[in-house]
Amino acid sequence: MTATTEYVVLLGDDGTPLGTADKATVHTTDTPLHLAFSCHVFDADGRVLLTRRALSKRTWPGVWTNSFCGHPAPGEAQEEAVARRAQRELGITISAVSPMLPDFRYRAVDASGIVENEICPVFSAVTTDAVDPSPDEVAEWAWLRPDELRAAVEAAPFAFSPWLVLQLQQWPKPEAARDLP
């Protein structure tokens, strides 16, 4: 493995690691099941950070989604991978990283035919940093109250990533929103 090659962990249907593959070759029309993560970043006011994927992204370009996603490197702890990607994609440090939907899994097909096929634990985190996103990852970003995000996704689910739509269906209901960071 070279320093410039990013690897993902391939998984069996039961979540057992089966090996690794070059990330650049994994996302195709026949994507194997692999390990990923999503993260929803909250600010001190309880707002959640929503990002719009860069137009140069291979899958779901220009689509609004959760704060950020990524893949842990082989042997990397999930929480370390989440912190690494927060810095890489958004230029922020995060704290209070905790599992939000630890058993989340999905498969979705992009309009181009590219498949996402992931066991993808979902985390929440908090930041006090100003967002300074990498332009190759994020085109735009906005802070929304969780109820505003729910309303937007309900009104126009096609404008959002399929994983975000599915994740929001599993978030605590508004009456339990105090459980969010």
Side-chain angles (χ1 to χ4, degrees), residues 123-135:
F123 293 85
S124 63
V126 176
T127 193
T128 57
D129 292 352
V131 178
D132 184 21
S134 173

Side-chain angles (χ1 to χ4, degrees), residues 49-53 63-68 90 138 140-141:
L49 179 63
L50 188 68
T51 60
R52 184 169 170 243
R53 292 169 62 84
V63 172
W64 286 93
T65 193
N66 56 292
S67 305
F68 65 94
L90 300 171
V138 176
E140 299 178 72
W141 54 272

Side-chain angles (χ1 to χ4, degrees), residues 148-160:
E148 293 172 323
L149 176 56
R150 284 184 199 275
V153 170
E154 286 176 18
F158 54 82
F160 298 89

Side-chain angles (χ1 to χ4, degrees), residues 37-72:
F37 61 81
S38 286
C39 187
H40 297 272
V41 177
F42 292 83
D43 69 5
D45 295 324
R47 297 178 303 170
V48 63
L49 179 63
L50 188 68
T51 60
R52 184 169 170 243
R53 292 169 62 84
L55 297 175
S56 60
K57 296 290 279 183
R58 185 170 178 198
T59 59
W60 284 274
V63 172
W64 286 93
T65 193
N66 56 292
S67 305
F68 65 94
C69 296
H71 302 86

